[in-house]
């Protein structure tokens, strides 16, 4: 691929609800740009973007794909992101390096949950955006309803650039609202100009008024002229639109048909015309030698620096680190310093990635997006710079995973292979996490949703040829006591020669400290138990608290006092006293009114106002205690509740169903509480069956 300077680059992320047409839009643009000889389709499983077997099978995007498109002397780096919340981390990585966004909306389905989520992501990063309405060739398409809905949600900044023209129920052309001229597509793929049809005049006036009002909002001078009834010239409108789009005060609405390849030329022209190049954007890091701000600002003349925003670790195409160059010009064989890993990386060759294909490039200028192969230690969100000017950029905030399952190898002996494969998948996916829960003898995998974890399970089987079972996790219950117990145990064993003898008398009682498993003290007098056996007694306690006698869960909040016992001059040993203590502990524990404790989480559920009743009713069924409800921006409510961890199992699926995908949740550990009798009894019975 050719080398492009900063002013000739546009970095644009495609966002929107799953199934709105992002992938097919890329397909149409790539075809019209001459990158392919035919347009693929999601249904046929032959698109450039969704090349992964899992994506083809599910007919959805799972990963962000980068497409550098050469168009009219410019390089437009399109980042096609998944639309479903299950893969939100992919979109967050892409938005972090995009300078602008296209939010894709289906004219048939209208504004959906993913549309609003895309807008919120743009707001959070404060990046310019425009809407592109797809499926205009569909009989059920309603451009007017989409525009009206966007204006209802986001106000006067919504500026429709086009108006569709239909003849005989066919999408044949459009009205350019800025020029107030109509254009019809011909068989050559170009357009013929003609007069705006009479039946479009009323809608043109509505769209024109909305556009002019959006332009008037961009400056006080324009606002005064607008109220005075002045007309704006086409040049004034375009100039104001450029300023307004860049600062976010104007959000254009364009439209087209991906399957017919219509509307792409105007979309690409407007990307170049209205979206900023990186040189119009700012980015800053910290120079770690002096802790001063380094204003990189995509300046090719400054010291080299780049940010790794994504990693591809595919067993078929290899490992690539996707970077955005924040300053300077990166060249082959450069040596770049990774401050986070205190390591120098040899660049080797430079690449651009288009879907699953790589192409060498001679250099990457500031603001461009490219790829480096086989970096030794660098990971996603790391910074690369020169050792003379070691820079670090703020790491992208990625959504925290809250849905988890226990997993096991289906085939014994494949645990190491599974671990290696998961490490590669986690290098790509920052929203995936594996935790070894030693207390409960299980390994947990965390993801954004049950669907997300199902995909990981399929990828392990398909790509890495290892299989795992996803199981309901064992909840981290704990055991404690409510009363005091005085007990003893004598361990005596004779088997010829030296025997074993250990005898302890202990008092067990609640310690009052639920953060600590046990407290040990001894008040032995007269040498009934020699001091040299005290450590063995404590070892016995430490071993006993790992799995309590009630249901096999860890013990907490117990105080043990060794106050008496006896020993044998020949047969006593550390082992004997350890065993005697373990048995005394179990016996005394069951005599001290043992109870099961369950972990409680503080849960926050963010839902639209319309769904608060259903969500709160469901939480009550899950034994939750509603602590409060606070309004948040956009007509949402934050419902705060304390809920047992046991009741969070499959909550993501229920919430999705109740709120049609618009609800999100998060939680943190709060404390332990005594489990209700029926819950405790069920766990005790289950433990008895497993033992």
């Amino acid at each position: 691929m050719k080398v492009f300077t900063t002013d000739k680059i546009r970095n644009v992320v495609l966002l929107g609800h799953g199934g709105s047409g992002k992938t097919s839009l890329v397909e149409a643009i790539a075809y019209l740009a001459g990158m392919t000889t035919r347009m693929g389709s999601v249904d046929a499983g032959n698109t450039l973007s969704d090349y992964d077997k899992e994506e083809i099978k599910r007919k959805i995007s799972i990963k962000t794909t980068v497409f550098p498109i050469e168009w009219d002397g410019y390089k437009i780096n399109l980042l096609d992101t998944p639309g479903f919340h299950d893969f939100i981390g992919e979109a967050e990585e892409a938005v972090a390096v995009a300078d602008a966004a296209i939010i894709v909306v289906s004219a048939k389905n209208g504004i959906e949950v993913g549309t609003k989520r895309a807008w919120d992501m743009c707001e959070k990063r404060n990046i310019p955006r425009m809407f592109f309405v797809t499926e205009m060739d569909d009989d059920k398409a309603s451009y007017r309803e989409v525009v009206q809905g966007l204006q209802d949600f986001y106000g006067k900044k919504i500026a429709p650039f086009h108006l569709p023209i239909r003849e005989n129920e066919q999408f044949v052309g459009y009205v350019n609202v800025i020029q107030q001229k109509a254009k019809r597509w011909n068989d050559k793929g170009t357009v013929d100009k003609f007069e705006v049809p009479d039946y479009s005049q009323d809608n043109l006036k509505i769209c024109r008024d909305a556009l002019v009002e959006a332009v008037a909002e961009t400056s006080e001078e324009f606002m005064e002229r607008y109220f005075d009834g002045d007309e704006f010239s086409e040049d004034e409108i375009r100039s104001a639109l450029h300023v307004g789009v860049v600062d976010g005060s104007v959000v254009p609405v364009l439209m087209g048909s991906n399957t017919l390849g219509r509307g792409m030329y105007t979309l690409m022209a407007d990307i170049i015309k209205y979206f900023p190049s990186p040189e119009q954007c700012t980015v800053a890091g910290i120079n770690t030698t002096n802790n001063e701000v380094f204003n990189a600002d995509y300046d090719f003349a400054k010291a080299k620096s780049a940010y790794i925003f994504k990693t591809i670790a595919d067993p078929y195409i290899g490992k690539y680190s996707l970077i955005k160059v924040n300053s300077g010009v990166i060249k082959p064989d450069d040596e770049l310093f990774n401050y986070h890993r205190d390591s120098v990386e040899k660049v080797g060759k430079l690449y651009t990635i288009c879907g699953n294909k790589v192409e060498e490039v001679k250099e990457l200028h500031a603001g461009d997006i490219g790829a480096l192969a086989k970096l030794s230690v660098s990971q996603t969100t790391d910074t690369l710079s020169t050792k003379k000017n070691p820079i670090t950029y703020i790491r992208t905030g990625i959504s925290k995973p809250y849905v988890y399952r226990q997993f096991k190898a289906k085939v014994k002996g494949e645990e190491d292979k599974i671990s290696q494969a998961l490490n590669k998948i986690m290098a790509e996916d920052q929203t995936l996490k594996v935790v070894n829960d030693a207390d409960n003898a299980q390994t947990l995998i965390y993801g954004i949703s049950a669907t997300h974890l199902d995909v990981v399970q399929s990828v392990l089987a398909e790509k890495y040829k290892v299989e795992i079972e996803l199981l309901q996790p064992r909840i981290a219950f704990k055991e404690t006591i409510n009363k005091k117990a005085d007990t003893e145990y004598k361990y005596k064993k004779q088997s010829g020669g030296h025997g074993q003898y250990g005898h302890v008398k202990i008092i067990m009682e609640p310690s009052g400290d639920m953060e600590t498993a046990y407290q040990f003290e001894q008040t032995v007098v007269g040498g009934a138990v020699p001091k040299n056996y005290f450590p063995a007694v404590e070892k016995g306690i430490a071993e006993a608290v790992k799995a309590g006698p009630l249901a096999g869960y860890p013990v907490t909040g117990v105080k043990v006092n060794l106050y008496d016992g006896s020993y044998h001059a020949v047969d006593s040993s550390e082992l004997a006293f350890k065993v005697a203590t373990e048995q005394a502990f179990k016996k005394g524990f069951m005599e001290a009114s043992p109870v099961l404790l369950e972990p409680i989480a503080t849960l926050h559920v963010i839902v639209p106002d319309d769904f608060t009743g259903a969500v709160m009713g469901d939480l009550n069924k899950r034994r939750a205690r509603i602590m409060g409800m606070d309004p948040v921006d956009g007509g949402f409510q934050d419902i705060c509740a304390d809920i047992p961890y046991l009741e969070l199992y499959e909550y993501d699926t229920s919430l999705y169903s109740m709120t049609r995908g618009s609800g999100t949740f998060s939680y943190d550990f709060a404390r332990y509480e005594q489990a209700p009798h029926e819950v405790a009894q069920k766990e005790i019975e289950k433990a008895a069956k497993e033992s």
Side-chain angles (χ1 to χ4, degrees), residues 308-327:
I308 302 174
F309 70 93
K310 181 174 175 56
T311 299
I312 297 173
D314 192 283
Y316 302 124
I317 68 172
K319 181 186 175 184
Y320 292 91
S321 300
L322 274 59
I323 62 168
K324 184 179 186 183
V325 183
N326 286 352
S327 59

Side-chain angles (χ1 to χ4, degrees), residues 130-291:
M130 64 174 64
F131 287 96
F132 186 78
V133 182
T134 61
E135 298 187 298
M136 288 301 302
D137 56 308
D138 193 279
D139 290 341
K140 297 178 181 177
S142 178
Y143 180 73
R144 182 184 60 80
E145 285 184 12
V146 171
V147 172
Q148 184 62 56
L150 293 173
Q151 290 173 334
D152 289 345
F153 277 116
Y154 307 120
K156 296 176 181 179
K157 63 175 65 177
I158 300 299
F161 276 21
H162 300 135
L163 184 66
I165 294 177
R166 290 183 179 278
E167 293 178 358
N168 299 320
E169 299 183 353
Q170 299 294 313
F171 178 49
V172 298
Y174 64 97
V175 178
N176 185 311
V177 177
I178 299 173
Q179 299 173 340
Q180 301 185 80
K181 293 179 180 178
K183 299 177 182 182
R184 180 187 280 107
W185 287 290
N186 56 39
D187 294 337
K188 299 174 185 177
T190 56
V191 292
D192 298 322
K193 297 178 182 178
F194 69 106
E195 290 300 314
V196 177
D198 291 340
Y199 59 79
S200 294
Q201 291 291 347
D202 288 344
N203 283 337
L204 173 59
K205 185 178 185 311
I206 293 170
C207 289
R208 177 75 177 182
D209 289 346
L211 178 69
V212 171
E213 191 170 358
V215 167
E217 295 276 344
T218 61
S219 73
E220 290 184 11
E221 179 193 343
F222 276 14
M223 184 62 77
E224 287 179 13
R225 288 179 55 190
Y226 174 74
F227 283 124
D228 289 342
D230 285 357
E231 286 287 327
F232 300 133
S233 69
E234 184 178 326
D235 286 343
E236 285 178 322
I237 289 173
R238 291 193 183 278
S239 177
L241 286 175
H242 177 76
V243 173
V245 171
V246 170
D247 70 17
S249 60
V250 176
V251 179
V253 185
L254 289 77
M255 45 125 214
S257 165
N258 299 342
T259 53
L260 298 177
R262 292 177 175 174
M264 280 80 236
Y265 285 106
T266 50
L267 173 64
M268 297 299 277
D270 285 348
I271 286 173
I272 293 168
K273 200 179 299 177
Y274 296 112
F275 277 165
S277 70
E279 67 179 359
Q280 296 173 270
C281 303
T282 60
V283 64
I286 297 293
N287 187 321
T288 58
T289 56
N290 53 23
N291 286 329

Side-chain angles (χ1 to χ4, degrees), residues 478-523:
K478 289 190 177 181
E479 300 179 20
T480 193
I481 54 176
N482 281 337
K483 293 182 180 178
K484 192 172 184 178
D486 187 339
T487 189
E488 66 174 310
Y489 192 89
K490 186 182 290 183
Y491 178 64
K492 190 175 181 182
K493 191 175 182 182
Q494 198 69 41
S495 57
H498 284 306
Q500 294 287 352
Y501 183 92
H503 177 211
V504 296
K505 292 182 179 182
I506 60 174
I507 293 175
M508 297 175 63
E509 60 186 316
S511 69
D513 178 8
M514 302 307 289
E515 302 293 321
T516 307
Y518 70 91
Q519 295 175 7
F520 171 63
E521 64 179 26
Q522 57 77 26
T523 56

